[in-house]
Amino acid sequence: MAQALKINAAPRAAQGTSNNRRLRHTGWFPGIVYGTGKPNQMVQVNEREFRKTLQGHSSEHMLLDLEISGQNAIKVLLQEVQHNSLTGVITHADFHEISMTEKIRVEIQVHLTGLPVGVSQGGGVLEHLLREVEIECLPGDLMEAINVDVSALNVGENLSVGDIQLDKAKYTILTDAELAVAMVAAPTVEEAKPAEAEGAAEPEVIKEKKPEAGEAKDAKDAKDKPKAKAK
């Protein structure tokens, strides 16, 4: 059974962009708890404590015990964490209250393990094509990631969603079984350009020979000399 992490939060009354900006400057960030059969609740969470609790965990889709000041702890699924694209500061988080006896749908990361023979022996390239799959399970069976062994893949072979082995009594994979998760592509070979013929002779250009200085003068005298008349 997945071990739920504990997160502390406090009710949040002020809303709006300017109020949320001021809240973040104090080291807290806004969040919302989507309830089951009850109104949604605005909360605020200390960013430093939140990061410390989740440190070492690869997935943000996690089962949590959320303790809101003055209220009993509730089981929630951390659904989404938004970050500032420039600073990395957490800007918002969504929590979904859940029942431990009702199945949930969630996207789980896919981790590839092993070195494919097509890479080690065939010189191929491993391509990770699908990084998350959607599954359905009880909250207590939730996992952070699915490890998939790709060591048997040869060049040109792929591993699809349908090849992922999970306990069917606990998990239902909702992602299309035909989608490829990983494949070993053939190595890229650059075609060698045909070598130019060595020593290929350039076409000879025949130029008219210029007469020498003396020859030019004789030719001119012969041209200027009057022709003899026939008797």
Side-chain angles (χ1 to χ4, degrees), residues 104-108 130 132-136 146 161 172-176:
I104 57 175
R105 294 185 175 188
V106 64
E107 291 185 340
I108 302 296
L130 187 66
E132 289 186 337
V133 294
E134 186 179 16
I135 67 170
E136 183 179 67
I146 300 172
V161 172
T172 300
I173 301 178
L174 304 176
T175 303
D176 186 351

Side-chain angles (χ1 to χ4, degrees), residues 133-155:
V133 294
E134 186 179 16
I135 67 170
E136 183 179 67
C137 67
L138 289 172
D141 295 323
L142 187 63
M143 64 185 80
E144 286 193 44
I146 300 172
N147 294 323
V148 177
D149 186 6
V150 295
S151 57
L153 289 181
N154 285 295
V155 174

